Amino acid sequence: MTSKLYDIRKVPFQTADGLTLDVTNIRGAKPPTKSPVLLVHGAGVRGNIFNAPVETTVIDALLAEGFDVWLENWRASIDFRLHDWTLDQAAFFDHPEAVKTVLHETGAQTIKAIIHCQGSTSFTMSALAGLVPQVETIVSNAVSLHPIVPRWSRVKLRLAVPVLARLMRSMNPGWGDDTPAGLPRLLGWLTKAAHHECDNTACQLVSFTYGAGRPALWEHENLNDETHDTFIQAEFGHVPLSFFRHIRACEAAGHLISLETYGTLPEDYAAAPPKTDARWVFFAGEENKCFLPDSQQASFEWFDGHAPGKHALHWLPGYSHLDVFMGKNAATDVFPKMIAALG
Ligand SMILES: [Zn+2]
C-alpha cells in the first residue's frame, strides 16, 4: 500500500456466493469534501495497482481534489486465493456489494467509479443490468462493452486458451524467473524466446498473458525504472483460464455476453438500452495492444446512441493500457482529464 502518510482502512464484505472481499478507504490529512470514488482494478492484479511508485498516483490526485478514495478488491484480486471466476460472477456478486458497502460506510447516496480493464468489463455488466444504480459517473479505461483485440490475441484466445485450459488452471506473470516446472516453465521459455524488448521476465510474461505487443500493457518509455523493474512483478499474480474463456466468448460476439446465468443478468448486454443513468467517460490509450482503442470508440458510440451528447471519450496519444495509471507522466497527461470527468 502507499508509502505516503495516509490513513488506510480495509472494510471486508461478503458476497452472496460466500466470498469475503474488501474495499479499502484511503484518507489524506484533510477530510474529503467530495463524493466517494471507487477504483476497480483489472484481472490478475489488486487494488494496489493504482499505487505505482510514481511521484503522483491517481490516488494522490483524487485525494488532492477532495475525493473520498476507495479501492475495491473484487474476486480477481491476487490478495485472495485463486478462484475460477467469470465476469458474470464479478458483475452479479462483487461490484453491487462493493458499492453498497461504500454507501453504508460513508452515508453517501451516490458514488463515482473509475474502472479499468476487466474491472471495467464486469462493472459495465453490473451497470447495464441495473445492479449499481447509485453510481452516477463512470470513468472507464481500456475496454468496457466491446472487447476488440489485436489479431494475434484473437488467435491465442481461440486456439491456445482451449488447449491450455485443459492442462493448467491459471497463468501468473508474477512467477518472473521462478516459473514452476512443467508447462509453465515451457511457456516461460517460449515467452523469453519471443520477447526481446527488455530483460524483465515478469514484464514479458504480462505481454504473453494479456496482449499481442512488446510490451502489451505499457509503453516502456512511460514507466520509471522502479515501476518496471519491481512493481510489475510484485503486483501481477494469478489469473484463471476460466476468465479467458469468458472474454474469448465476448470477443467473438463483438460485445459483452453472459457465460453463465445469474439472476437478472442479460444474455446479451448490447441488446437492450442501459439500465443506468450514469454518465460515462471512456479513456483509450492509442497504443493499447491488449484491447485496441477501437473498443472504447465502439462503446462510446453505443452509449451515445442511447443518450446523444451525454457521454464523452478521450483518446490518449502515446499511452497504452496500464501506463494510463502507472505512467511517470500520467499525473499531468491523464489524471486531470479523469478528475474533470468526475466533476
Ligand atoms: Zn519490460
Side-chain angles (χ1 to χ4, degrees), residues 42-291:
V45 291
R46 55 184 167 180
N48 201 45
I49 198 71
F50 295 107
N51 189 35
V54 292
E55 189 172 331
T56 303
T57 66
V58 68
I59 297 169
D60 301 326
L62 290 167
L63 288 174
E65 285 293 319
F67 287 104
D68 188 11
V69 177
W70 292 79
L71 307 181
E72 178 183 341
N73 272 309
W74 54 290
R75 70 186 57 206
S77 170
I78 60 170
D79 275 352
F80 310 127
R81 66 175 177 80
L82 177 64
H83 301 275
D84 290 326
W85 55 268
T86 63
L87 299 171
D88 298 318
Q89 294 164 9
F92 190 70
F93 294 114
D94 300 3
H95 305 314
E97 205 58 42
V99 170
K100 279 184 210 157
T101 303
V102 172
L103 292 171
H104 179 260
E105 291 292 318
T106 60
Q109 301 295 308
T110 59
I111 69 165
K112 302 166 192 285
I114 297 177
I115 59 179
H116 170 71
C117 194
Q118 300 312 325
S120 176
T121 54
S122 53
F123 201 95
T124 297
M125 288 175 162
S126 303
L128 292 177
L131 299 179
V132 287
Q134 314 92 335
V135 184
E136 61 179 3
T137 309
I138 297 175
V139 170
S140 161
N141 183 51
V143 60
S144 43
L145 180 54
H146 300 85
I148 302 172
V149 302
R151 187 173 300 169
W152 174 234
S153 294
R154 194 178 306 147
V155 170
K156 285 201 290 187
L157 281 170
R158 295 186 182 180
L159 298 181
V161 166
V163 175
L164 288 177
R166 289 200 196 103
L167 302 172
M168 57 196 288
R169 189 180 176 196
S170 65
M171 272 298 295
N172 188 337
W175 286 326
D177 290 321
D178 295 320
T179 43
L183 185 57
R185 190 162 298 168
L186 176 62
L187 291 175
W189 286 337
L190 291 173
T191 301
K192 285 204 85 65
H195 288 264
H196 302 286
E197 64 275 15
C198 70
D199 290 329
N200 182 340
T201 307
C203 180
Q204 295 163 338
L205 283 169
V206 166
S207 297
F208 171 80
T209 306
Y210 291 108
R214 295 183 171 87
L217 301 195
W218 37 76
E219 296 292 285
H220 269 137
E221 59 267 29
N222 287 346
L223 303 186
N224 65 26
D225 289 346
E226 189 180 355
T227 302
H228 180 259
D229 298 345
T230 308
F231 188 72
I232 290 171
Q233 183 160 3
E235 294 301 324
F236 275 84
H238 52 66
V239 58
L241 273 297
S242 56
F243 148 70
F244 290 102
R245 285 201 298 273
H246 195 171
I247 204 67
R248 182 188 63 189
C250 295
E251 187 277 329
H255 53 262
L256 298 176
I257 58 172
S258 284
L259 200 62
E260 305 164 297
T261 303
Y262 289 108
T264 54
L265 291 185
E267 287 180 24
D268 181 337
Y269 286 85
K275 293 179 182 171
T276 167
D277 293 327
R279 177 172 186 261
W280 293 68
V281 182
F282 300 91
F283 283 76
E286 287 189 9
E287 305 301 325
N288 196 332
K289 298 168 196 73
C290 179
F291 292 97

Side-chain angles (χ1 to χ4, degrees), residues 146 148 293-303:
H146 300 85
I148 302 172
D294 294 349
S295 304
Q296 294 290 67
Q297 179 74 39
S299 295
F300 167 72
E301 289 173 6
W302 186 89
F303 276 84

